[in-house]
Amino acid sequence: MSTSTPPRLPHPGHVKQMAEQLWSAVADADEYAATDLVLRMLDDGIDPECVLLDVIARVQGRVGEEWAANRISVAQEHAATAINERAVAAVSVHPAARTAATLGRLTVACVDGEWHALPARLLAEVLKLRGWQVDYLGAQVPTPHLIAHLHNTRADAVALSSSIATRLPTAHAAITACQAVGVPVLVGGAAFGPGGRYAPLLGADAWAPDARTAADRLAQGRLPRPEPDHQQFDDLPHLSDQEYTMVARNSSSLVRTVFTALEDAFPAMRSYSDLQRERTAEDLAHIVEFLATALYLDDEELFTWFITWTAQILVARGVPAHSLPPALDLLARELKDFPRADRMLRAATHTLTTAPSTAAGNTA
């Protein structure tokens, strides 16, 4: 560090107060107030890692909660995230955050199709604070570009981030490709499930629930070099039934077919506005995408969780959750020759219609 006095860790109550102040600035879309606040924390000697993870990351988590509860719009969520990203950038250039790179070189990136870059950016900044040279590649990094970068830099490891589970098939391909060129992979993000349950399934060399834990894991010693002959199919032999491939390949036609039939199965849809019909088509596309991902992982719980979460989001937006079972039934009819898909659809419907919080009769 370039500062003469060591950074200090504030009292938890003070951390909470600082997070509340940053939330107020973010909620007001006041970028200047937000960046001034985090810079003032650093000027006061607060540990930069604490500012990043206990203040900025906490506020970003609240942004997601407010969106899910329909208290802020998608546009407001994007604006708030952009301000938090500027706050992270302000921390990164402050003298208190300048640390000599002595531990080695790491690459931090989001998998292709993953636009939620802030968790990866936070990890990159924490790793730099811990003494690593970090190549932060940002959101949505195509796997061929990632591999080309690894060839050019000879990184000690790759940290891959993904927040949305539907990106896991792509993440699996990226993990395998990195390992094929001899680079171990640490993964993180909500996409990998509770406790990182999907990380070993996809062959990752390590998993961490957050940036602090990831940095601690890398500090324990370098990840072992992977075996170069690792193949994706070795991890998921159930893919031989082709259910994932067929659902993913025919997703657009499935959405169109179900959407067309849904008007008869759910008569209330006939009075939908053009915007409501557009949103319904989007919801159906997400359902099919999550079903395909659940088939890829052979994980029924993932699809059931997504349907339950979708019902909660719909209710928060004033849309009855009893619109979902007819759509699932129609989709099951189209996929009647796909045993795993049919099982997942019926399990989700059962959960949706029996759980008190999302039962069809409670959300009309």
Side-chain angles (χ1 to χ4, degrees), residues 56-80:
I56 299 175
R58 178 183 293 189
V59 169
Q60 184 62 25
R62 184 170 175 180
V63 170
E65 293 168 0
E66 293 294 303
W67 171 82
N70 201 33
R71 289 190 288 264
I72 63 174
S73 67
V74 172
Q76 288 173 309
E77 183 267 333
H78 285 192

Side-chain angles (χ1 to χ4, degrees), residues 3-363:
T3 52
S4 56
T5 57
R8 62 184 177 89
L9 295 175
H11 186 275
H14 188 202
V15 172
K16 183 177 180 180
Q17 181 182 26
M18 292 187 297
E20 284 295 329
Q21 292 173 350
L22 181 60
W23 167 252
S24 295
V26 168
D28 290 339
D30 192 336
E31 178 183 324
Y32 295 122
T35 53
D36 285 347
L37 178 63
V38 297
L39 291 174
R40 188 162 61 250
M41 294 177 198
L42 297 173
D43 289 340
D44 290 343
I46 303 299
D47 179 30
E49 187 171 310
C50 174
V51 175
L52 289 169
L53 302 183
D54 301 322
V55 179
I56 299 175
R58 178 183 293 189
V59 169
Q60 184 62 25
R62 184 170 175 180
V63 170
E65 293 168 0
E66 293 294 303
W67 171 82
N70 201 33
R71 289 190 288 264
I72 63 174
S73 67
V74 172
Q76 288 173 309
E77 183 267 333
H78 285 192
T81 300
I83 292 173
N84 279 329
E85 288 173 343
R86 291 300 296 270
V88 172
V91 172
S92 71
V93 297
H94 191 279
R98 295 175 187 170
T99 306
T102 59
L103 298 182
R105 189 168 188 173
L106 302 172
T107 294
V108 176
C110 296
V111 301
D112 197 2
E114 179 58 71
W115 287 101
H116 298 82
L118 189 55
R121 178 66 189 275
L122 287 165
L123 173 60
E125 297 305 326
V126 169
L127 291 172
K128 287 194 287 184
L129 288 170
R130 298 286 189 98
W132 292 92
Q133 179 183 351
V134 178
D135 299 313
Y136 170 65
L137 306 187
Q140 187 160 293
V141 181
T143 299
H145 295 183
L146 173 61
I147 299 305
H149 177 79
L150 297 180
H151 279 301
N152 292 332
T153 59
R154 303 178 68 84
D156 296 299
V158 173
L160 284 178
S161 175
S162 186
S163 297
I164 306 298
T166 52
R167 303 277 73 82
L168 287 179
T170 302
H172 192 195
I175 292 166
T176 305
C178 291
Q179 293 170 335
V181 296
V183 181
V185 181
L186 179 148
V187 298
F192 292 94
R197 61 188 294 175
Y198 304 127
L201 185 67
L202 301 181
D205 298 290
W207 167 82
D210 51 55
R212 189 170 278 129
T213 306
D216 289 345
R217 170 63 185 85
L218 291 168
Q220 293 172 5
R222 301 196 176 187
L223 299 177
R225 291 288 172 180
E227 295 295 330
D229 58 352
H230 174 219
Q231 300 294 322
Q232 285 178 256
F233 184 79
D234 296 336
D235 299 322
L236 305 173
H238 58 265
L239 293 179
S240 62
D241 67 11
Q242 296 295 303
E243 287 199 32
Y244 162 74
T245 302
M246 295 300 293
V247 171
R249 183 179 297 165
N250 296 297
S251 59
S252 296
S253 63
L254 282 170
V255 170
R256 286 195 300 269
T257 301
V258 173
F259 182 85
T260 301
L262 190 57
E263 197 167 87
D264 290 330
F266 185 65
M269 185 177 161
R270 296 169 186 166
S271 62
Y272 277 12
S273 66
D274 288 343
L275 179 59
Q276 287 174 312
R277 295 174 72 84
E278 181 180 336
R279 294 285 171 79
T280 299
E282 291 174 353
D283 290 340
L284 289 173
H286 291 316
I287 289 171
V288 173
E289 190 175 21
F290 262 88
L291 176 62
T293 303
L295 290 169
Y296 189 88
L297 301 168
D298 197 29
D299 192 310
E300 184 179 296
E301 290 182 19
L302 172 63
F303 186 66
T304 300
W305 166 84
F306 172 72
I307 292 298
T308 303
W309 177 83
T310 298
Q312 294 168 349
I313 295 297
L314 290 176
V315 170
R317 284 152 178 73
V319 179
H322 64 225
S323 61
L324 284 172
L328 298 178
D329 288 343
L330 289 168
L331 194 52
R333 186 185 309 169
E334 293 300 313
L335 298 173
K336 62 181 182 298
D337 296 326
F338 295 76
R340 289 198 295 128
D342 183 73
R343 184 185 72 244
M344 291 178 184
L345 287 162
R346 298 198 183 284
T349 300
H350 176 74
T351 299
L352 190 65
T353 54
T354 58
S357 61
T358 56
N362 293 344
T363 55

